[in-house]
Amino acid sequence: MMYPKIRSAAPSETTRLADRPREGKPARRSLARLILRLALAAGVVASMAFPAFAQEGAGPIPQNAQSRSYGGGWVCDLGYRQEAGECLVIEIPENAYPTGRSYGTGWECSRGYEEANGISCDPIPVPANAFLRSSGNDWQCDRGYRQDRDACVPIVLPENAYLSQNTSGSGWECNRGYAAADGTCLPIAVPDNGYLTNADYGATWACERGFMKTGDSCEAIDLPENAFLDPDSYGPGWSCERGYKPVSGACIEIDLPENAYLDRSGNRWNCNRGYRLSEGACILGR
């Protein structure tokens, strides 16, 4: 059918102005390109994150297939796989269920079973004093037992110990005040002015504030004048107040030269900008 041609009117001044490129258009085009790239990337990620289900087909719907719930085409029923435009039944072994995926065997083993050579599902052997994990793919020993290869053996609990949640090791931990040694729990010798750290490893005890560890004892810290206790594990156990520096176990007042300032520690000094150190003084110039 021929349609009459409609002669368009000459463009008005307003239309011609509207056709001119505006300042914001290049920025909008760049933004549109960025959105398109992000959408394409999201599509790739989605295709990797969500596995394809029963293969889709086009044309007449074969037996054991159904129309797609959206768009066109058809998909094979659960338990069937597309091949040459048909939906062929998948051989599913006993104790398995169809996955609906278009790749792999098309089936997975039920809870409590494991795949054997890609053709069958064998029961997962659960030893005595164990139970099947919630995932259904493995087993775990009962409380009071630990795994030893393919069996669960009783945990021998020494005196002054309790069952722990860690079943990969001994399965027990010592009570507070005791330390594990050669399969037993021995009392921790805490010196005077010391306390238990409750650490799982490292030092089992530490000294109280005002005392320092010396061998197996806690010795009182001799605090000099113009000093304060410092909890750092190294050093004499104290630090000098701001404006003082340590000299031979004492805190000596810093004689701050002209054109100098105390640094961040407060126990040393530096020359002001534009000055340099020369024979204990800050002089102008490089």
Side-chain angles (χ1 to χ4, degrees):
M1 180 182 291
M2 299 293 292
Y3 292 92
K5 294 183 179 179
I6 299 176
R7 183 175 298 172
S8 59
S12 64
E13 185 64 24
T14 305
T15 305
R16 287 196 297 271
L17 290 173
D19 290 339
R20 293 178 184 174
R22 300 177 184 177
E23 279 187 31
K25 280 190 176 181
R28 288 198 295 272
R29 291 195 190 101
S30 298
L31 180 60
R33 293 193 198 101
L34 177 60
I35 293 174
L36 178 60
R37 291 194 188 102
L38 292 174
L40 291 173
V44 173
V45 172
S47 65
M48 296 174 64
F50 300 97
F53 286 88
Q55 296 181 21
E56 303 170 1
I61 301 177
Q63 195 173 11
N64 303 312
Q66 56 184 304
S67 299
R68 290 179 58 190
S69 57
Y70 60 90
W74 48 268
V75 293
C76 291
D77 293 338
L78 193 64
Y80 293 82
R81 190 198 304 272
Q82 183 189 160
E83 188 174 328
E86 297 184 57
C87 291
L88 304 181
V89 66
I90 298 173
E91 295 296 333
I92 300 177
E94 191 176 0
N95 301 310
Y97 61 91
T99 62
R101 297 188 182 95
S102 60
Y103 58 87
T105 61
W107 52 267
E108 287 185 359
C109 293
S110 301
R111 185 177 188 276
Y113 293 84
E114 58 187 357
E115 185 176 326
N117 301 320
I119 57 174
S120 65
C121 291
D122 295 345
I124 295 175
V126 180
N129 304 307
F131 60 91
L132 195 66
R133 292 182 185 269
S134 58
S135 65
N137 301 323
D138 199 4
W139 53 268
Q140 180 178 334
C141 292
D142 293 334
R143 177 173 170 80
Y145 294 83
R146 62 178 179 84
Q147 184 174 347
D148 183 8
R149 297 184 181 181
D150 295 329
C152 290
V153 297
I155 295 174
V156 179
L157 200 63
E159 193 176 359
N160 299 307
Y162 61 93
L163 293 173
S164 68
Q165 298 298 322
N166 185 10
T167 57
S168 60
S170 64
W172 54 266
E173 293 181 10
C174 292
N175 293 333
R176 175 177 165 82
Y178 294 84
D182 299 326
T184 62
C185 290
L186 301 178
I188 298 172
V190 181
D192 292 340
N193 303 307
Y195 62 92
L196 293 170
T197 61
N198 294 329
D200 293 331
Y201 56 89
T204 56
W205 58 268
C207 293
E208 300 282 0
R209 177 175 169 80
F211 294 84
M212 176 174 288
K213 185 176 182 180
T214 305
D216 294 329
S217 62
C218 291
E219 301 295 334
I221 296 173
D222 185 12
L223 192 66
E225 193 175 358
N226 300 310
F228 60 92
L229 292 173
D230 190 340
D232 286 338
S233 58
Y234 57 88
W238 52 265
S239 293
C240 291
E241 299 282 0
R242 180 176 175 81
Y244 293 83
K245 61 181 179 180
V247 178
S248 302
C251 289
I252 307 301
E253 186 174 5
I254 294 174
D255 184 12
L256 194 65
E258 193 175 358
N259 300 311
Y261 64 94
L262 292 174
D263 68 3
R264 184 170 56 181
S265 70
N267 305 129
R268 292 182 298 270
W269 57 269
N270 294 320
C271 291
N272 292 338
R273 290 182 180 178
Y275 292 83
R276 62 183 178 85
L277 179 64
S278 176
E279 297 181 357
C282 293
I283 62 174
L284 190 63
R286 296 182 178 179

